[in-house]
Amino acid sequence: MRALMSERFLVTFCGLLLAMGAFSCDILLPAFWSLSRELGAPIELVQAVIPVFIMASAIGQLLFGAASDRFGRRPVLVVGLLCYLAGTLTGLAATSIALVLACRVLQGLGAACAVVVGRAILRDRNSGPALAQAMALAMAIFAFGPIVAPLLGYGLVSHGGWRLVFAGMAIFGGLLLASALTGLSETNRAINPEALGPRYLGRAILRLISHPQSRFFLAVASVNAFGITAFIANAPLLFKSAFAIEGLLFAVVFALTGLGIILGQVANRRFIGRIGVIGTTRLAAGILAGVSASILLLHHAGVLNVYSFALLMFVFDT
């Protein structure tokens, strides 16, 4: 029973680590207007809290992944979560949008550590079918982040403004840090002293970009990431200006589009089994292109409304 509970804890914990990035973006969306009013910042500048976070997270995954190979998963994860908490608590007391953006960089770096170390822990403890099952369960937990976060963000904003949202993120990060300190054992049994060496990192990057299949997946992932980032960063302004929707209704509609992620997890497993990874990726790329074209056509035809847009974004997230 203890081993079973330990495995359940590990998968749940890693699922929450994987969700940290999406949670930290989506929970802040209902706070855009509160941030703009209180800090006297234009909404276009407030929107930058999303891409700044995501760019820092992308860079941080390269650094923290190699660091966890060199020093171990647990100590690096603790450092990353402390970085996230430092950014969150400083953001809680920020008096300018510039300081909020700087704090989002720290948050992004910390969330990057959580994501990359969470995946590494699952790989350390599992292999083959067991790894696939553990990753599926962790991703199921991750998938609820985009659904819960905007609703929670709206509730926090309505009771205490944007600072209460940062307080909520601090509690989330603090709970993960406490769990790492009290319930997580080191899982990296093959410490690599060369993992942070320039030559080692250079060879690893060269292997990645020199492989045709890796380049294909990087290209597809880049386009997908750009589309998702653009949508999330612009969602509050888009829904308000185009459809006159904000507040609770915005949070509900945005959360419903996030249901597509759960459906996508189920569909991906089935399609990969039938048409393979490459075939599934090509199908997904075609769907993304089709959704984007449909939105453009409906907009130019003057018939795009919030329901058709939300449905198409649901398919996009899938």
Side-chain angles (χ1 to χ4, degrees):
M1 179 62 70
R2 180 175 297 178
L4 180 61
M5 290 298 293
S6 175
E7 189 64 27
R8 286 179 178 176
F9 162 79
L10 196 67
V11 172
T12 302
F13 179 68
C14 288
L16 293 174
L17 291 177
L18 296 179
M20 177 171 273
F23 176 85
S24 300
C25 287
D26 295 347
I27 194 175
L28 199 52
L29 296 181
F32 273 24
W33 304 108
S34 176
L35 266 166
S36 179
R37 286 191 302 269
E38 185 168 332
L39 298 182
I43 191 64
E44 292 79 11
L45 190 55
V46 172
Q47 289 175 309
V49 299
I50 301 300
V52 163
F53 178 96
I54 291 176
M55 286 188 289
S57 183
I59 296 171
Q61 289 192 44
L62 297 174
L63 299 175
F64 283 113
S68 72
D69 290 338
R70 172 63 181 86
F71 299 108
R73 314 300 185 208
R74 188 174 183 272
V76 171
L77 178 59
V78 169
V79 170
L81 292 174
L82 286 173
C83 179
Y84 178 87
L85 275 174
T88 305
L89 294 174
T90 306
L92 179 61
T95 57
S96 69
I97 189 63
L99 184 54
V100 170
L101 292 174
C103 293
R104 289 292 284 175
V105 172
L106 286 176
Q107 281 188 306
L109 291 172
C113 180
V115 171
V116 72
V117 173
R119 288 176 179 154
I121 289 172
L122 291 176
R123 289 196 301 269
D124 290 340
R125 287 285 297 264
N126 302 278
S127 61
L131 175 59
Q133 185 179 26
M135 283 297 299
L137 291 174
M139 290 304 295
I141 295 171
F142 159 83
F144 281 96
I147 300 172
V148 174
L151 298 173
L152 177 60
Y154 168 77
L156 293 172
V157 169
S158 63
H159 284 86
W162 67 270
R163 295 185 192 277
L164 197 56
V165 174
F166 272 81
M169 287 188 280
I171 292 173
F172 180 58
L175 289 174
L176 288 177
L177 178 60
S179 298
L181 290 172
T182 61
L184 183 65
S185 301
E186 179 57 55
T187 61
N188 185 2
R189 305 302 180 188
I191 298 296
N192 183 359
E194 299 180 357
L196 285 174
R199 291 185 179 179
Y200 183 88
L201 291 174
R203 288 195 299 267
I205 294 174
L206 183 61
R207 287 197 301 269
L208 178 66
I209 62 177
S210 62
H211 196 285
Q213 185 169 305
S214 296
R215 291 199 301 270
F216 170 75
F217 282 116
L218 282 172
V220 173
S222 297
V223 173
N224 186 39
F226 175 80
I228 292 175
T229 302
F231 171 59
I232 294 174
N234 288 280
L237 180 59
L238 173 64
F239 276 87
K240 184 175 181 178
S241 60
F243 308 118
I245 287 178
E246 59 180 324
L248 178 59
L249 186 55
F250 162 74
V252 171
V253 173
F254 189 87
L256 288 176
T257 64
L259 286 172
I261 297 176
I262 297 178
L263 179 61
Q265 293 297 322
V266 176
N268 282 342
R269 289 197 294 272
R270 293 185 178 182
F271 280 116
I272 288 174
R274 293 181 180 181
I275 61 177
V277 175
I278 298 294
T280 301
T281 304
R282 289 172 176 166
L283 176 62
I287 292 174
L288 294 179
V291 168
S292 302
S294 298
I295 292 175
L296 284 174
L297 289 173
L298 291 175
H299 171 69
H300 286 296
V303 295
L304 183 67
N305 56 41
V306 66
Y307 304 107
S308 58
F309 180 76
L311 178 61
L312 287 169
M313 290 310 303
F314 173 88
V315 177
F316 187 95
D317 288 342
T318 302

